[in-house]
Amino acid sequence: MQKITFRKLIGENYIYPELQGHFIEFLGSCIYDGIWVGEDSEIPNYHGIRKDLVDAFQKLHPPVIRWPGGCYADVYHWRNGIGPRENRPVTYNENFGTFETDPNQFGTHEMMEFCEMIGAKPWFNINMMTGSPAEMREWMEYCNRRESTTLTRERKVNGHEAPFQVEYWGIGNEVWDGGGKMTPQMYADEYRKFTSSCPSFGPGDQAFPPKCIASGPDGNKPKERVVWTKDFFKEMGKYRMPSLYGYDLHFYNWNLKQLQTEKKFDEKQWYDVINGCKELENVIHEQRRLIDTGLEALPKPEGPFQAAPRKCELIVGEWGNWHSSAFNERPALYQQCTMRDAVTTALTLDIFHRNTGDVRMACVAQSVNVLNSLFLTDGEHCILTPNYDVFDMYQVHQGAYTLGFEEKNKDPEVCIFASIKNDDIYINLVNTSYSESKKIELKFKQCPEFVEAKTLYSKDPQNYNDAKHPNRVRCKEGKAPAREKDSFQIALPAASVSVYHFRKTETEK
């Protein structure tokens, strides 16, 4: 039996809520039919945005949501998505096999209303490839300028007098491939030009300068990602350093061997995908070291003026399972989510939580109807996938602190993470075994009281939710653990995700 010992119930590293971020894009049916149904739709909606999706999203307290791409960002012109919707141009979306017209009904104002309703900060990705620094600057002015200008008056006419205060701005997307097939040197030159064009928005409490996020490497290419990051920061170190808040790494857990369907798999295929997601932890450590080494090598600026701090946050702007069968789906990249996806989602979030000192923000790809989604829509139905339950269970870690522990008789198939927030202790227990239940012991120096347990599992790991069976796989109340003096005995079902909640007693405070 694996034994986990908590000797001190004292928090260590702060867990940034932004590690549980989201990503939506004009891809397949993510936006249209997924989020946007239109004000005239028979599907209940808030000003055109699906009501059931908004209501369910709110419960997750999503910290940040990235938009409009992804690849689509580099062909998206923001002016197409403002003003009266009946006057907006119709464009064509070739993004990742979407091959459909885009009526531009969901634009800047609709996105901001969506963010306001679900309580998320927006992350806007600008068009670097087919756009210009001037277009980016005008979008920033339109969104964030407080003073009365032609652009801010236009924003007011379009329905929003106050600034949107968009904080995060991605400068290009996957520039190593669809975003321009650039070299790090080429991209560094473009990045300098675009970030130097950003407005500063004035002095004092009116200032809302953009946090510029650079396009990082392809996390799935071990050799290229190392050289890319080294070369990019080498270029950043030449002469004067531009504004650089974050560095956006993308990593997908590719499942390219299973060609037919993501819904049926054997035990080997289960473990191929489960073990594949674990690589991301090493990638994060590697990239964090490379970024820090690059920052340390920056030359000290001359003169009396204070230089910008040598700091750059690592961000994972896209992550999740990508099954090869999604390439053949219509709408594009539509993908069902089984317990296999739920377990890898839990493991990936635990990687972020565990390494909160190395990674600052992360966005699951994507939230609705695409790849590792939390929501699948089918006409009037909005289905919550098992991934939704994982995010729901794990939101307790937002704003908490990591909690250290010791392990004895470690079982490689049981993955553990713990956090503490005030007097509340939350312990994640993920049993990655395809068919075997596991027993573990939680031991405390001073035993807290058990509050509740939540467990997500299914008798068949291949199970998923659909319109006919929307609650086939749902989080349920777990059994109270057996207590023996200063320890708790817990049984974990096979292929399951559990969160156990304890609370400090008065003697521990």
Side-chain angles (χ1 to χ4, degrees):
M1 180 187 297
Q2 183 171 355
K3 297 184 179 181
I4 301 103
T5 302
F6 296 88
R7 299 199 180 280
K8 294 182 179 180
L9 299 182
I10 300 174
E12 297 173 348
N13 298 316
Y14 181 75
I15 300 171
Y16 297 105
E18 290 84 359
L19 293 172
Q20 295 183 18
H22 298 264
F23 169 41
I24 60 173
E25 181 178 10
F26 293 100
L27 198 165
S29 59
C30 179
I31 301 295
Y32 299 116
D33 296 330
I35 296 172
W36 180 261
V37 294
E39 293 176 298
D40 298 330
S41 174
E42 294 181 358
I43 297 172
N45 63 85
Y46 297 116
H47 305 140
I49 300 171
R50 291 187 74 114
K51 179 182 183 300
D52 46 11
L53 184 137
V54 168
D55 294 345
F57 226 142
Q58 286 174 339
K59 296 176 182 177
L60 300 180
H61 300 98
V64 65
I65 190 159
R66 178 174 177 250
W67 170 87
C71 295
Y72 194 74
D74 278 320
V75 295
Y76 181 71
H77 297 284
W78 69 273
R79 279 202 161 276
N80 290 343
I82 63 170
R85 284 195 286 271
E86 63 272 17
N87 296 337
R88 296 181 190 179
V90 176
T91 55
Y92 195 74
N93 185 355
E94 299 177 326
N95 187 29
F96 253 107
T98 298
F99 299 133
E100 292 180 1
T101 56
D102 179 359
N104 286 291
Q105 298 298 285
F106 188 90
T108 299
H109 287 258
E110 290 79 14
M111 172 60 179
M112 289 308 307
E113 184 174 17
F114 180 52
C115 287
E116 290 166 8
M117 285 191 291
I118 66 175
K121 287 184 178 181
W123 166 0
F124 281 8
N125 231 79
I126 65 103
N127 182 347
M128 171 181 272
M129 189 170 70
T130 63
S132 67
E135 182 180 16
M136 176 203 71
R137 181 182 175 89
E138 288 180 356
W139 197 13
M140 290 179 172
E141 290 269 4
Y142 182 89
C143 289
N144 287 3
R145 177 71 69 190
R146 183 182 302 275
E147 294 83 1
S148 178
T149 66
T150 300
L151 283 167
T152 61
R153 288 194 294 270
E154 184 179 12
R155 184 186 68 220
K156 180 179 178 180
V157 168
N158 289 333
H160 208 278
E161 183 172 2
F164 287 130
Q165 296 187 330
V166 179
E167 184 176 356
Y168 303 114
W169 295 86
I171 310 300
N173 172 78
E174 295 186 355
V175 296
W176 32 264
D177 192 26
K181 288 186 170 58
M182 301 183 189
T183 65
Q185 294 80 8
M186 291 168 61
Y187 175 60
D189 289 344
E190 290 297 301
Y191 182 86
R192 287 176 179 275
K193 180 168 64 176
F194 273 78
T195 55
S196 297
S197 302
C198 295
S200 61
F201 298 107
D205 59 3
Q206 293 186 7
F208 208 88
K211 292 181 176 178
C212 295
I213 299 171
S215 176
D218 182 347
N220 292 100
K221 294 202 166 29
K223 294 180 180 178
E224 182 181 289
R225 71 184 182 228
V226 170
V227 178
W228 179 279
T229 299
K230 285 182 177 179
D231 286 351
F232 175 75
F233 279 92
K234 183 178 179 181
E235 292 298 313
M236 288 293 100
K238 293 180 179 178
Y239 301 97
R240 302 188 183 190
M241 177 78 173
S243 171
L244 179 62
Y245 170 77
Y247 189 63
D248 180 17
L249 166 80
H250 292 177
F251 179 91
Y252 283 97
N253 184 24
W254 290 99
N255 176 22
L256 300 180
K257 297 178 181 178
Q258 188 182 343
L259 302 178
Q260 300 303 318
T261 176
E262 74 280 17
K263 295 179 283 190
K264 297 292 182 182
F265 46 85
D266 58 27
E267 188 167 347
K268 181 183 181 303
Q269 292 167 333
W270 164 272
Y271 285 112
D272 284 344
V273 174
I274 296 298
N275 293 328
C277 80
K278 298 177 182 178
E279 180 189 354
L280 178 55
E281 190 153 23
N282 293 330
V283 177
I284 288 172
H285 295 163
E286 166 202 278
Q287 290 293 310
R288 184 69 260 172
R289 288 194 299 269
L290 291 170
I291 292 170
D292 290 343
T293 300
L295 293 174
E296 289 171 5
L298 296 178
K300 293 182 179 180
E302 294 182 286
F305 299 105
Q306 186 175 4
R310 299 188 180 194
K311 186 176 181 181
C312 176
E313 304 288 1
L314 176 60
I315 294 167
V316 182
E318 296 182 24
W319 67 267
N321 288 348
W322 190 322
H323 302 292
S324 60
S325 55
F327 283 109
N328 299 320
E329 288 291 338
R330 297 291 297 170
L333 299 191
Y334 181 92
Q335 185 172 283
Q336 255 296 355
C337 297
T338 66
M339 272 303 303
R340 182 172 61 172
D341 301 289
V343 167
T344 56
T345 294
L347 293 175
T348 304
L349 288 174
D350 280 345
I351 288 172
F352 297 143
H353 296 156
R354 196 161 48 242
N355 295 282
T356 186
D358 290 339
V359 60
R360 180 65 174 77
M361 185 160 64
C363 297
V364 64
Q366 294 182 13
S367 302
V368 188
N369 285 341
V370 173
L371 301 179
N372 202 60
S373 54
L374 284 69
F375 306 90
L376 296 175
T377 62
D378 184 357
E380 64 181 5
H381 302 284
C382 180
I383 301 114
L384 308 182
T385 73
N387 291 345
Y388 177 92
D389 291 66
V390 174
F391 271 82
D392 189 23
M393 296 161 68
Y394 273 32
Q395 66 175 294
V396 294
H397 301 297
Q398 293 186 23
Y401 290 83
T402 58
L403 185 61
F405 54 85
E406 300 169 6
E407 295 182 78
K408 188 177 181 181
N409 303 327
K410 180 173 174 55
D411 186 332
E413 291 191 314
V414 177
C415 300
I416 302 154
F417 174 79
S419 76
I420 187 166
K421 185 187 297 184
N422 299 322
D423 295 329
D424 292 299
I425 302 156
Y426 301 100
I427 303 173
N428 298 348
L429 302 168
V430 183
N431 182 5
T432 66
S433 173
Y434 183 77
S435 56
E436 293 183 16
S437 61
K438 303 285 183 176
K439 290 185 178 180
I440 66 165
E441 178 184 81
L442 301 179
K443 189 172 183 179
F444 299 84
K445 187 175 181 180
Q446 290 182 306
C447 210
E449 63 178 0
F450 169 74
V451 178
E452 65 174 346
K454 295 181 178 180
T455 300
L456 177 68
Y457 75 101
S458 179
K459 292 181 180 179
D460 186 346
Q462 300 178 74
N463 279 343
Y464 56 88
N465 300 326
D466 57 20
K468 291 183 178 180
H469 306 94
N471 297 308
R472 182 188 279 132
V473 186
R474 281 277 81 88
C475 171
K476 299 177 182 178
E477 184 178 350
K479 294 181 180 179
R483 179 171 178 174
E484 294 183 8
K485 294 183 180 180
D486 59 352
S487 66
F488 294 92
Q489 310 289 325
I490 297 175
L492 302 175
S496 66
V497 180
S498 300
V499 177
Y500 277 75
H501 179 192
F502 298 89
R503 184 170 291 131
K504 285 184 180 181
T505 60
E506 288 298 324
T507 57
E508 296 172 298
K509 298 179 183 180

